[in-house]
Amino acid sequence: MIALFRWGMAVCAAMAALPAAAQDIAGDWIDGERHRVRIFAGAVPDAAPGTVTAFVEMAMDRGWKTYWKNPGTAGGIPPEFKFDASKNVAKAEVLYPVPTVMSDKAGDVIGYREWAIFPVRITPADARAPVDLIVTANYGICEKLCVPAETVLSLTIPPGPLPDAGADAARAYANVPRTGAELKPGDPVGLKVERTADAPGLIRLMARFPGDAAVAAMFLAVPDGRYLPLPVRGAAEGETIAFDVAFQNPEDLKALKGATVTVVMVGEKGQSEDRFVID
């Protein structure tokens, strides 16, 4: 009887040491207007040491879409995520996978059609304690008109190793633009910025895009969500491709003086992120 008790205790201890099951680290789906949202957590390849990764997943009705940080010429609501009510969170950073451009009569929308996963890179204040994550998400979804939405998501993430987050989450994480030590061979690099006095409303951006020049693209954003034109691909010299950012009114560009611009560069073999300040 004692031996059986000890065996049972050993099994319980072994089970306690195992990572939680994936379904135990996921919140319920929350229904909204023409969409639903949930949050889950799990391990993905190449995650930064000392961090845990959560994922905000959004599923939209057929034909509906949501926005990137710069929503595009058609207008829209850039997403905003707040973590103020969370506990044991030293830092939380929302990561944006490379968006797509969707064009219609209203203009260009930069974002995600029908489905999106936003990874959240979390640095716990104490790695030995659970993370109580509370996310207030404000965003817009759109078919022909933009509908504003707010959802509050909560999730407790246990300390220690997490289960695999799944193929969809890993794909979303892999599609986040990389920078610095995260860069991989094939990612676009070498951003250069040119301005000329005879074109006061124009910024020319150049970088090296390994692979097929025809698929190269750039996206721009500033921290406060102000509109920036979509860069237009121009001349290519070998793997170096130029993109023109043309403001119809040069005064709009002047109003951005001092702003830090995030540049997402997408190529056939990878994607990266760089920054410059508008002078």
Side-chain angles (χ1 to χ4, degrees):
M1 188 71 177
I2 294 176
L4 181 60
F5 174 77
R6 289 176 176 172
W7 177 83
M9 291 292 291
V11 170
C12 291
M15 290 179 65
L18 292 174
Q23 59 268 25
D24 292 337
I25 316 179
D28 294 333
W29 284 101
I30 298 176
D31 292 327
E33 178 71 23
R34 300 290 185 174
H35 75 292
R36 57 182 187 153
V37 189
R38 71 164 181 160
I39 189 168
F40 64 96
V44 288
D46 298 328
T51 67
V52 295
T53 312
F55 301 86
V56 176
E57 183 174 14
M58 187 182 303
M60 292 156 276
D61 285 1
R62 185 179 181 86
W64 287 72
K65 47 191 174 284
T66 194
Y67 300 96
W68 187 62
K69 293 181 283 187
N70 173 2
T73 60
I77 302 173
E80 182 181 20
F81 300 89
K82 296 181 179 179
F83 302 89
D84 301 346
S86 299
K87 296 179 180 179
N88 193 31
V89 174
K91 182 179 179 181
E93 179 186 7
V94 177
L95 308 177
Y96 293 80
V98 170
T100 59
V101 178
M102 297 159 278
S103 301
D104 56 27
K105 294 179 180 178
D108 296 325
V109 170
I110 305 174
Y112 312 90
R113 185 187 295 277
E114 296 179 358
W115 179 78
I117 289 182
F118 299 98
V120 183
R121 182 185 290 160
I122 303 159
T123 303
D126 182 355
R128 300 164 298 178
V131 168
D132 290 324
L133 193 64
I134 299 176
V135 185
T136 301
N138 289 276
Y139 51 94
I141 63 166
C142 171
E143 185 189 35
K144 296 179 180 178
L145 296 175
C146 183
V147 178
E150 178 178 285
T151 305
V152 178
L153 304 163
S154 60
L155 185 69
T156 297
I157 306 173
L162 298 180
D164 191 298
D168 290 337
R171 191 177 302 111
Y173 195 91
N175 284 335
V176 170
R178 293 176 281 268
T179 187
E182 298 174 343
L183 287 170
K184 295 184 177 182
D187 289 342
V189 292
L191 178 68
K192 294 181 180 179
V193 183
E194 288 186 356
R195 299 281 303 276
T196 59
D198 59 346
L202 180 69
I203 301 175
R204 178 160 291 166
L205 304 174
M206 294 174 290
R208 184 169 65 84
F209 292 79
D212 185 359
V215 302
M218 279 188 178
F219 301 95
L220 307 181
V222 289
D224 60 8
R226 278 181 289 176
Y227 164 73
L228 291 170
L230 191 65
V232 177
R233 186 172 58 238
E237 185 175 340
E239 291 185 335
T240 299
I241 305 173
F243 286 80
D244 285 344
V245 183
F247 289 80
Q248 292 185 354
N249 184 352
E251 294 300 316
D252 293 338
L253 178 53
K254 285 184 180 180
L256 287 164
K257 184 176 181 179
T260 299
V261 181
T262 296
V263 183
V264 170
M265 300 176 285
V266 185
E268 180 189 18
K269 299 183 178 182
Q271 65 280 333
S272 61
E273 182 177 293
D274 209 334
R275 288 174 172 78
F276 74 95
V277 176
I278 296 178
D279 55 20

